[in-house]
Amino acid sequence: MGHKRTLLLRLFTMLGAVLLCYAAEVFVCLFGNAYQERLVALAGLYVTLSVSLNMINGITGQFSIGHAAFYQIGAYTVGYLSLLAPVSMGYNSISWLAMMMLVAAITAGFAGFIVGLPSLRLKGDYLAIVTLGFGEIVRILVQNMDVVGGSYGMNVNPKIQHLSIIWLLAIICIGVFRNILKTGKGLVFTAVRDDEIASASVGIPVTKVKVTAFVMGSAFAGAAGALFAHYEGFITPGAFTMDLSFMILTMVMVGGSGSITGSVVAAISLFYLPEWLRDQPNITAASFLSAIFASGVFIFTLSKAMDRYYQNTFQKISAISFAVCASVGFKYLSTFFLELVPQLRDMEFEGNQLRMVIFAAILVVLMLIRPQGLLSNFELSWKGIQKLISKTLHAVRRGV
Amino acid sequence: MNNSLLKVEKTSIHFGGIKAVQDVSFDIKEKELFGLIGPNGAGKTTCFNMITGFYKPTHGRVSFNGIDISEKSMSDIVEMGIARTFQNIRLFSKMTVLENVMAAAIIRKPIHLLDAMLYSLRAIEQTEELKSRAIDWLKVVGLENKRHSISSSLPYGEQRRLEIARAMATNPKLLLLDEPAAGMNPTESKILEEVIRRLKNDFNTTILLIEHDMKFVMNLCENIVVLDSGKKLAEGMPEEIKKNPKVVEAYLGVPQK
Ligand SMILES: Nc1ncnc2c1ncn2[C@@H]1O[C@H](COP(=O)(O)OP(=O)(O)OP(=O)(O)O)[C@@H](O)[C@H]1O
Ligand SMILES: [Mg+2]
């Protein structure tokens, strides 16, 4: 019943995805400058990284904090191969990229297997320690390998800059994990996250499931690394520090571990946020301080209001608006009073320096008011959208 | 019908200095309803943990269908046909009732990872089949109407029945129930009794259960083993156990006149 239709629909979806990515590339290249182009490319890589980490941390409930290591392994695998096979052996750029992605995915996946097999057997936080250590070991090892340029880095030839391939990888990554979760197979992973002992009691091979998730996640990170290496044409160990691992981890947490949609949203917005904040005007110490006070007021009033009015969406929205009004009001009030102090009024912070402070503050506020992440475990789906539309239509009709 | 399904032979389990189980042996025959009773800390749950492979016996061996399972992993033992419930309920608390049972049924109807990744037609069909199997089990325990509720939101008695459905979804030959009636009101435990009888009669399941509710055990079980401080105190039919002076002294207490 409708099998042909399903297959046809799927074919169209895939074609659509390819076309969309290509159109996006053409659009960005026509209307954007090199800087914007690079941002779009990196955002795509971050989406792949955070979604693949979410498979390990969010969906299977492990705690890996060295995801950059697999990204680096992918990148350097490709870098090393480009030394062996200069000018891509006559292949055209897209098939070469596809091959490199595959090789990088296999290498990183294998590394994931080697690291995961012993450490995933252990309970709790051991995995965190092992992956953190592994990330540093890989980076320092590469730093001391002269074949790949040591800490100076290396050129990766040829430089292939296809935005569409980068985003296609992100879409494939999202698609693969969404597919798994849509079938009964996905329950095996969420069961392990919920309760390992109960999982074992119904015959789920817990270690195997964890290792599988870990290998899949590492493999996608490796493929992303391959694209990164070819996109930049130059890689150094400095691009794969612990900071990157923590950034990816933050994306997963902020998006809501367990929600793939959340990882995508958080990856894009957290990646762009520091860029948007780049052109900040200089601000005075007074308004900076008052902004800090105001965010305190915001958190306080919101949590108080939410305690009392949590019944329905309308009440929630009113609670949030109340908190916003209260904090904005407080901001102006405190700015006014603080500016009475001449030192605070005259001292200025440079906007660009404040950018990371603001970024961090936003993260802190987010985690305080929504510890389960932006989307907690919500997933965007056609069915959900259809339901929403029909609900709205229903409401509108009843209103009329 | 008279061949033994589970054979526990002279098993002991030591936790450092604590001897939780000492030299315990019993034999469960196919299609039997077998009771394991005894005071708190007697080692009943530890016996379950040993049979299901969570602990390895320090001495002795456990065999199932004639095969030694004392060194096998938990998932292998489930695969062979032993399932259990827990004294302190362990559901997949964030999943729905249906998903809980589906996650267990999957070991009898594995979906290939590659099929799942591609969302192939086969994976879709297998998922549907998994769903219908799970619903069948939910019907047996009377929870099919609650299939979309989150499992932790169910009342206590229903959570216990859901745990039984989940265990049954692995198609066990032997089902271990750890205090299934604990905390239930009389109506709930009546329903449970019916469910357990059905599992035995309609699905040919052999059942080993731990229970403190003596009426429940005496009603249901055909054979009983009594443990006390890790040692086997007595074994026999409910009538014999009730009269056994050692059991009365250690556990049941003097019957009221
Ligand atoms: N992992 C462990 N480490 C140390 N001691 C343990 C462990 N598990 C159980 N024990 C001890 O073994 C003894 C038997 O415990 P067990 O849980 O089997 O009792 P039980 O018969 O199920 O009692 P109850 O009726 O209270 O459930 C207890 O003294 C307990 O403290
Ligand atoms: Mg017990």
Side-chain angles (χ1 to χ4, degrees):
Chain A
M1 181 197 69
H3 281 178
K4 251 193 194 144
R5 211 180 128 234
T6 322
L7 283 180
L8 216 62
L9 197 71
R10 201 160 311 159
L11 197 69
F12 276 124
T13 318
M14 281 193 260
L15 268 177
V18 173
L19 283 180
L20 192 75
C21 287
Y22 190 68
E25 176 173 349
V26 170
F27 179 81
V28 173
C29 292
L30 277 182
F31 298 103
N33 55 31
Y35 167 71
Q36 285 162 337
E37 222 179 285
R38 184 158 181 275
L39 288 190
V40 174
L42 289 183
L45 293 174
Y46 271 108
V47 168
T48 309
L49 288 172
S50 74
V51 170
S52 60
L53 184 65
N54 195 6
M55 183 66 206
I56 302 169
N57 284 19
I59 290 155
T60 318
Q62 304 308 299
F63 198 62
S64 166
I65 52 178
H67 213 48
F70 302 103
Y71 189 47
Q72 176 169 24
I73 288 173
Y76 269 89
T77 305
V78 167
Y80 185 66
L81 283 179
S82 81
L83 288 180
L84 299 182
V87 292
S88 37
M89 301 184 0
Y91 285 97
N92 77 17
S93 62
I94 289 185
S95 43
W96 178 254
L97 265 190
M99 262 158 44
M100 287 302 104
M101 264 200 281
L102 199 67
V103 173
I106 291 171
T107 319
F110 183 70
F113 180 75
I114 299 292
V115 178
L117 194 61
S119 51
L120 286 161
R121 273 174 199 284
L122 303 170
K123 295 243 149 57
D125 309 327
Y126 291 100
L127 183 69
I129 298 165
V130 171
T131 48
L132 186 71
F134 180 69
E136 285 305 281
I137 289 170
V138 170
R139 190 172 59 82
I140 290 167
L141 220 61
V142 168
Q143 233 165 47
N144 289 293
M145 270 162 58
D146 291 331
V147 230
V148 289
S151 50
Y152 296 112
M154 69 184 300
N155 286 313
V156 181
N157 289 315
K159 199 166 166 172
I160 309 174
Q161 300 193 314
H162 280 307
L163 288 183
S164 52
I165 303 289
I166 288 176
W167 276 92
L168 213 53
L169 177 69
I171 289 174
I172 290 172
C173 181
I174 296 166
V176 162
F177 292 139
R178 273 304 296 277
N179 282 350
I180 293 178
L181 291 180
K182 275 196 286 187
T183 66
K185 189 75 179 179
L187 294 173
V188 170
F189 296 94
T190 42
V192 168
R193 169 183 67 190
D194 259 17
D195 190 332
E196 284 185 23
I197 291 177
S199 302
S201 87
V202 293
I204 295 172
V206 176
T207 304
K208 193 178 149 196
V209 169
K210 290 196 262 184
V211 173
T212 307
F214 198 71
V215 169
M216 286 193 295
S218 315
F220 271 105
L227 292 185
F228 175 73
H230 274 299
Y231 186 84
E232 297 282 49
F234 178 75
I235 45 179
T236 72
F240 306 96
T241 53
M242 227 192 275
D243 293 4
L244 178 63
S245 289
F246 285 148
M247 188 66 189
I248 305 167
L249 186 68
T250 311
M251 287 168 175
V252 173
M253 306 286 260
V254 166
S257 41
S259 163
I260 292 176
T261 317
S263 293
V264 175
V265 171
I268 296 175
S269 44
L270 287 193
F271 174 69
Y272 272 107
L273 194 59
E275 304 301 328
W276 283 328
L277 293 173
R278 216 176 258 285
D279 306 315
Q280 288 298 307
N282 295 356
I283 57 172
T284 63
S287 64
F288 180 61
L289 277 181
S290 63
I292 291 176
F293 294 150
S295 41
V297 169
F298 179 71
I299 294 171
F300 181 74
T301 42
L302 189 66
S303 62
K304 283 285 168 221
M306 279 291 193
D307 279 348
R308 210 163 299 168
Y309 308 107
Y310 53 84
Q311 303 291 355
N312 53 35
T313 321
F314 178 72
Q315 286 193 347
K316 272 183 200 159
I317 291 174
S318 347
I320 293 172
S321 1
F322 176 68
V324 168
C325 292
S327 57
V328 169
F330 190 81
K331 163 94 172 48
Y332 284 111
L333 200 69
S334 55
T335 313
F336 175 78
F337 281 112
L338 285 171
E339 279 187 346
L340 295 179
V341 185
Q343 283 93 338
L344 289 180
R345 191 184 55 216
D346 297 336
M347 197 169 121
E348 278 204 334
F349 288 114
E350 203 183 314
N352 242 338
Q353 284 176 350
L354 278 180
R355 145 180 106 98
M356 284 335 263
V357 176
I358 297 171
F359 180 67
I362 290 175
L363 284 185
V364 171
V365 171
L366 255 179
M367 280 347 276
L368 278 175
I369 58 178
R370 224 178 138 74
Q372 72 273 45
L374 279 175
L375 296 181
S376 107
N377 48 20
F378 167 84
E379 290 293 359
L380 193 66
S381 66
W382 285 124
K383 256 191 204 155
I385 295 174
Q386 279 165 3
K387 245 189 214 161
L388 191 74
I389 292 174
S390 66
K391 235 186 186 173
T392 336
L393 284 181
H394 205 76
V396 168
R397 231 176 271 148
R398 235 196 290 163
V400 174
Chain B
M1 211 190 121
N2 271 339
N3 40 346
S4 79
L5 185 66
L6 183 83
K7 230 185 171 94
V8 175
E9 291 167 279
K10 299 201 162 166
T11 51
S12 306
I13 288 197
H14 300 175
F15 299 112
I18 301 171
K19 295 177 176 166
V21 175
Q22 296 178 52
D23 218 20
V24 169
S25 312
F26 52 87
D27 226 341
I28 302 179
K29 297 190 178 54
E30 248 171 64
K31 274 202 77 175
E32 198 168 24
L33 253 165
F34 202 97
L36 188 58
I37 63 173
N40 291 114
K44 305 178 297 289
T45 301
T46 308
C47 269
F48 268 29
N49 286 335
M50 172 182 78
I51 295 168
T52 54
F54 190 67
Y55 297 138
K56 308 287 168 230
T58 318
H59 304 295
R61 56 178 243 152
V62 181
S63 48
F64 181 66
N65 256 339
I67 301 164
D68 187 354
I69 56 167
S70 3
E71 295 299 323
K72 289 211 184 319
S73 75
M74 283 173 86
S75 51
D76 283 348
I77 290 174
V78 179
E79 182 94 36
M80 290 176 69
I82 300 180
R84 71 172 295 180
T85 64
F86 293 89
Q87 182 171 357
N88 39 358
I89 305 175
R90 293 193 92 116
L91 291 168
F92 301 126
S93 52
K94 292 188 196 98
M95 310 205 311
T96 65
V97 168
L98 182 64
E99 285 170 343
N100 263 272
V101 184
M102 282 171 74
I106 198 167
I107 67 147
R108 295 291 172 214
K109 201 86 196 104
I111 298 175
H112 203 280
L113 184 65
L114 207 61
D115 273 329
M117 281 173 150
L118 300 174
Y119 199 50
S120 70
L121 292 177
R122 187 157 44 155
I124 299 172
E125 268 162 28
Q126 284 171 329
T127 304
E128 284 308 313
E129 200 175 320
L130 217 56
K131 207 176 272 179
S132 71
R133 276 189 190 205
I135 290 172
D136 286 345
W137 282 115
L138 286 177
K139 279 182 186 151
V140 172
V141 299
L143 286 176
E144 75 273 22
N145 293 327
K146 300 242 173 155
R147 57 174 165 250
H148 296 303
S149 319
I150 297 294
S151 67
S152 55
S153 73
L154 294 185
Y156 196 72
E158 292 182 351
Q159 290 197 14
R160 286 224 174 265
R161 272 187 280 143
L162 173 57
E163 220 188 9
I164 293 176
R166 185 180 71 179
M168 286 306 294
T170 65
N171 286 356
K173 292 195 200 81
L174 173 66
L175 177 66
L176 311 181
L177 301 173
D178 199 341
E179 305 198 12
M184 284 191 173
N185 61 34
T187 344
E188 284 175 327
S189 72
K190 200 84 211 145
I191 300 175
L192 179 72
E193 210 180 304
E194 286 314 307
V195 169
I196 293 177
R197 277 190 209 286
R198 251 200 94 184
L199 296 183
K200 184 200 161 193
N201 296 330
D202 298 359
F203 300 96
N204 291 327
T205 316
T206 311
I207 293 163
L208 168 61
L209 70 88
I210 297 176
E211 191 46 73
H212 281 298
D213 180 344
M214 274 312 112
K215 231 179 93 198
F216 191 86
V217 177
M218 298 297 175
N219 254 339
L220 211 54
C221 295
E222 294 147 4
N223 244 316
I224 293 172
V225 161
V226 188
L227 289 185
D228 184 27
S229 340
K231 296 196 192 94
K232 186 163 95 175
L233 198 63
E235 177 172 6
M237 308 219 283
E239 299 312 312
E240 299 165 12
I241 296 294
K242 266 191 225 167
K243 287 184 209 127
N244 188 322
K246 276 198 285 184
V247 179
V248 171
E249 189 194 347
Y251 183 45
L252 295 179
V254 186
Q256 288 151 339
K257 297 261 164 67

